[in-house]
Amino acid sequence: MAADQSMGDYRMGAPCGPNSSGRRVAFADLGGMSYHEASAFHLPIAKRFRFVNKVNNAEAKKELKSIGRMIKADPLSPVGYYVRNMVILGMGLLLEGYVLFSVGNVTPLLEAAFPHAGPVWQQAITYLEVVGIILGQIVVGIVGDWLGRRWGLIQDALIMFVGLIMLTACWGITLNGWVICYALSLLFYGIGVGGEYPMTATSGMENAVGSGKISTREDRLHRGRRVTSAFLMQGWGQFLNQVVLILLLLIFNSGSGNPPYDKVVAQWVFRVSFAIPALGTLCLVYCRIYKMKSASDALQAAKKKQSATGYDVKSLRLTFTYFGPRLIATAFGWFANDVFFYGNKLFQSQFIAALNPNNESVMTNWVWNLVNTGVALVGYYLASFLIDNKLYGRKWMQIIGFLGCFICFIIPAFNYSYYAEGPGIRSFQAMYFLSSFFGQFGPNAVTFLVAAEVFPTPVRASAHGFCAACGKLGALLAAILFNYINSRMRFLVVPWLGLLGGIVTYLFLPDTTGLDLKEQERRWACIRAGREQDYHGIAIHRKHLSFWERIRGVGKHYNAEEDYKQRIEGMRADWESAMERRAAEEEAAGDLRNENDCWSLDVSAFFERTTGRTGGAADGPYRNGAVASGESVDEAKEKE
């Protein structure tokens, strides 16, 4: 191949296939690949099965060894790694989980201290809180796709900080005036909370994707764990809030958690409980302004490739056209989950009343809630550990979680008196805790992940925000509906949403476990260019398509051999770009090389030999055996 071959010959084929000239120059020399070069691109069929069976165990062993080395070097280094990569990423969700559940947790205390506020005001507070969250999810999701993830993250943190100051300092001359101020503060704070959902999910996911490398192994194996590890910080926020409230009540109520509760005590407890996260949110503002400057890089790169600026309206329109059923699956899944999730919280009073019929103590409610939150945390962590497992994964985790919640609610629904008031009270207790577990080890974790994962980068935050808003409509439905039906009827109504959620998930949700996000972007580039048929890759393999997409023939263009050629063509374009960038850097700053361009040596050797370029990576000591000689696959096998 000529040494002066234009890079334009390759770039038009990546990611949408061969260039229009018909000369598939990128893979013209595939037949002359050396044995080692070929193995860098393609794994023999016999080895694929062994690889799939061994990869999880090998990865676990690798991670355990890495943790061992970290502990040996510094016993606290694993904690530091966890904080940097999971806690900081999910800090916004931890803080909003703390505050939102503080609102619900202090309500019984405020009711006891201010009995004349009335149920209408209490309901209005709940409704305004949910409306604020819905507004934030939609508006900030659009802002995140328009101006960038970083600006959405900063905006959320600032809104939440100001909202917490308002909640801490809210006041009124009359009781009604105070309630109005409190409700409006929650509405404002809710806008920031709502924006946390699409911003945390998209930024956590996109930061896990490799850039400029031949393999995005980390993305395929651990993307789900990375995102859900940030999401589970919400559970820790709930747990910490309950601990703080218990301690504050003991401090301000003379060491007792029992009634009566003075108005001054109630004021001190709720104000201090909101002041604490205000300090954490201020730190979050600092981190997002000064420590997360690259949060928008993946979005900007995607827009640059597609020559899009501002908000990509074309991508939004195409998303509804091509991924409408996925939107139904993710939006309805979140809707059904939030009816269960908030229904579980609202059922808590019936559950505690069944266990403690004559209970009037707020402390008793809080202690049982602490136990329930601990059970939920177990579900959060188990979901994080198994969500990337190819034998289980996202789709089945959500289906089984929905069915688990369905069973836990439907059993007492048809014999409510026996379980809630009779000898089945312990079984009722177990089912209540199990519903919390399956809610987290199922739809609550999965919906947060897949609502961003199954959609393209240019509209990922908007899609996630829309699905999250649908979820909050489920929470709003539960809050309104439960005011008009009794406890027995609630158990008869709610379970069927779990069953329906499982069915919708099976029909319309694709399983993206182990699917490289770069493959989805390759497919999306073809769709956006009007050449859907030119994509033949793994993103349209039946394993990664929903039942609905399979019966509609979405995977009919899947062709492993064609995709193999296209991926090599795309790799060549990326490799040439990396080599040009590296050469420019070496010329400008000595022998300083960009660590983001760490290509496989066999791959560099093949591209160097078949394009006539010298990339530097395969020079001198990096060459060896078959790679240096350029011998064929058969010759290499004979030598071995």
Side-chain angles (χ1 to χ4, degrees):
M1 187 174 294
D4 60 350
Q5 180 66 57
S6 168
M7 290 178 65
D9 291 337
Y10 309 106
R11 285 183 176 152
M12 292 304 293
C16 293
N19 58 65
S20 58
S21 68
R23 296 182 299 136
R24 300 188 176 185
V25 292
F27 47 85
D29 293 318
L30 292 184
M33 273 190 179
S34 73
Y35 177 64
H36 294 285
E37 289 170 356
S39 65
F41 292 98
H42 191 64
L43 196 65
I45 294 176
K47 291 184 179 180
R48 292 181 191 175
F49 296 101
R50 293 199 296 269
F51 172 78
V52 171
N53 292 329
K54 290 169 61 177
V55 66
N56 287 336
N57 292 334
E59 191 66 17
K61 185 184 295 185
K62 173 187 170 185
E63 291 191 333
L64 289 174
K65 287 182 178 179
S66 177
I67 293 172
R69 288 193 298 269
M70 293 170 69
I71 293 174
K72 187 176 180 180
D74 179 358
L76 293 179
S77 59
V79 178
Y81 177 87
Y82 181 76
V83 170
R84 288 191 306 273
N85 292 276
M86 278 76 172
V87 176
I88 291 178
L89 185 63
M91 184 58 67
L93 289 170
L94 184 148
L95 291 166
E96 65 89 2
Y98 176 102
V99 174
L100 288 189
F101 284 86
S102 182
V103 172
N105 288 333
V106 299
T107 297
L109 179 63
L110 296 176
E111 288 176 351
F114 303 97
H116 303 296
V120 175
W121 283 115
Q122 297 165 18
Q123 294 167 16
I125 289 171
T126 301
Y127 301 158
L128 283 175
E129 176 190 340
V130 175
V131 168
I133 295 173
I134 292 173
L135 285 174
Q137 287 166 336
I138 295 175
V139 173
V140 180
I142 294 172
V143 169
D145 285 332
W146 183 15
L147 301 180
R149 316 299 192 219
R150 180 170 178 253
W151 298 110
L153 289 166
I154 293 172
Q155 173 186 280
D156 288 338
L158 286 171
I159 291 175
M160 288 195 296
F161 176 65
V162 174
L164 280 169
I165 293 176
M166 293 169 63
L167 285 168
T168 304
C170 66
W171 198 259
I173 297 175
T174 64
L175 179 59
N176 285 349
W178 175 81
V179 171
I180 292 171
C181 184
Y182 182 65
L184 292 177
S185 300
L186 269 179
L187 173 66
F188 184 81
Y189 181 80
I191 295 173
V193 169
E196 275 300 300
Y197 286 78
M199 291 300 97
T200 300
T202 53
S203 60
M205 186 174 301
E206 290 165 359
N207 286 343
V209 182
S211 177
K213 298 183 181 180
I214 184 172
S215 174
T216 52
R217 189 170 183 270
E218 178 72 16
D219 174 55
R220 289 183 286 105
L221 295 181
H222 303 305
R223 181 177 67 247
R225 186 179 68 184
R226 181 184 177 90
V227 176
T228 53
S229 292
F231 179 62
L232 67 81
M233 289 297 110
Q234 184 186 67
W236 277 113
Q238 299 165 26
F239 186 86
L240 292 174
N241 168 253
Q242 195 62 83
V243 172
V244 168
L245 284 176
I246 289 172
L247 293 176
L248 288 176
L249 183 59
L250 292 174
I251 291 170
F252 293 114
N253 201 40
S254 303
S256 172
N258 296 320
Y261 304 110
D262 186 78
K263 294 180 180 179
V264 176
V265 170
Q267 292 280 355
W268 272 108
V269 170
F270 100 82
R271 292 185 191 280
V272 174
S273 72
F274 288 140
I276 292 172
L279 296 175
T281 307
L282 183 60
C283 295
L284 185 65
V285 172
Y286 168 80
C287 288
R288 290 183 173 179
I289 293 175
Y290 295 103
K291 304 295 183 182
M292 300 183 71
K293 295 183 178 181
S294 62
S296 299
D297 287 359
L299 175 65
Q300 299 307 321
K303 286 186 176 181
K304 184 177 180 181
K305 285 183 179 179
Q306 296 167 12
S307 301
T309 58
Y311 191 81
D312 194 345
V313 178
K314 180 179 179 181
S315 289
L316 182 66
R317 185 174 65 252
L318 289 172
T319 297
F320 281 102
T321 302
Y322 287 90
F323 294 151
R326 296 186 177 195
L327 202 61
I328 292 172
T330 52
F332 183 80
W334 210 322
F335 175 88
N337 169 68
D338 271 24
V339 172
F340 268 109
F341 185 72
Y342 286 91
N344 183 285
K345 298 299 178 186
L346 293 168
F347 286 149
Q348 184 171 290
S349 58
Q350 281 75 38
F351 163 70
I352 295 171
L355 294 178
N356 301 277
N358 299 316
N359 173 58
E360 294 182 358
S361 173
V362 171
M363 184 64 74
T364 302
N365 293 354
W366 287 356
V367 170
W368 278 114
N369 188 50
L370 186 66
V371 174
N372 189 44
T373 305
V375 172
L377 268 174
V378 175
Y380 274 114
Y381 272 99
L382 195 57
S384 182
F385 286 135
L386 291 180
I387 202 160
D388 287 313
N389 188 302
K390 290 186 178 181
L391 299 179
Y392 195 56
R394 284 89 152 130
K395 186 170 183 174
W396 283 110
M397 183 179 289
Q398 179 155 312
I399 291 173
I400 292 173
F402 269 131
L403 293 180
C405 290
F406 169 73
I407 292 170
C408 288
F409 278 87
I410 200 68
I411 291 175
F414 290 101
N415 200 353
Y416 183 78
S417 298
Y418 172 81
Y419 288 104
E421 302 165 2
I425 187 66
R426 294 302 172 189
S427 300
F428 185 62
Q429 179 182 8
M431 285 184 284
Y432 178 77
F433 286 138
L434 282 172
S435 69
S436 294
F437 171 80
F438 278 112
Q440 314 314 318
F441 181 54
N444 200 38
V446 177
T447 50
F448 183 81
L449 172 64
V450 298
E453 194 175 52
V454 301
F455 300 110
T457 300
V459 294
R460 182 168 288 146
S462 300
H464 192 279
F466 172 78
C467 296
C470 290
K472 285 299 173 285
L473 287 176
L476 189 62
L477 173 66
I480 296 173
L481 182 63
F482 291 177
N483 288 323
Y484 298 98
I485 58 177
N486 59 31
S487 299
R488 186 187 188 96
M489 184 59 65
R490 295 174 190 176
F491 276 89
L492 287 170
V493 170
V494 169
W496 305 106
L497 283 169
L499 181 62
L500 189 57
I503 293 172
V504 170
T505 300
Y506 177 78
L507 290 176
F508 299 120
L509 184 68
D511 189 0
T512 47
T513 306
L515 178 63
D516 194 334
L517 279 185
K518 283 191 172 182
E519 281 299 310
Q520 297 205 79
E521 293 309 309
R522 287 182 60 222
R523 181 191 176 197
W524 181 251
C526 292
I527 290 174
R528 199 176 186 282
R531 297 199 299 272
E532 180 189 11
Q533 70 281 0
D534 286 343
Y535 177 75
H536 308 290
I538 193 68
I540 56 172
H541 187 278
R542 69 185 312 276
K543 175 179 173 56
H544 297 301
L545 295 175
S546 68
F547 178 80
W548 178 258
E549 288 171 333
R550 292 200 298 270
I551 63 174
R552 288 187 61 248
V554 173
K556 63 185 176 183
H557 298 298
Y558 175 74
N559 186 313
E561 292 301 321
E562 285 298 315
D563 179 61
Y564 177 47
K565 296 173 183 178
Q566 289 178 359
R567 282 188 290 116
I568 293 177
E569 187 172 342
M571 284 182 200
R572 185 189 297 277
D574 289 342
W575 178 84
E576 288 193 334
S577 178
M579 293 305 104
E580 285 192 348
R581 184 167 56 250
R582 177 178 297 179
E585 290 174 355
E586 291 174 358
E587 183 178 351
D591 194 29
L592 183 63
R593 297 188 175 185
N594 188 341
E595 292 184 358
N596 287 329
D597 294 332
C598 49
W599 290 80
S600 163
L601 301 178
D602 292 323
V603 171
S604 289
F606 170 71
F607 285 148
E608 176 193 343
R609 177 168 58 79
T610 58
T611 60
R613 283 185 177 272
T614 299
D619 293 342
Y622 295 110
R623 291 182 174 276
N624 62 78
V627 176
S629 64
E631 61 193 356
S632 68
V633 174
D634 292 335
E635 289 171 339
K637 288 180 177 179
E638 288 177 6
K639 182 177 289 186
E640 292 182 350

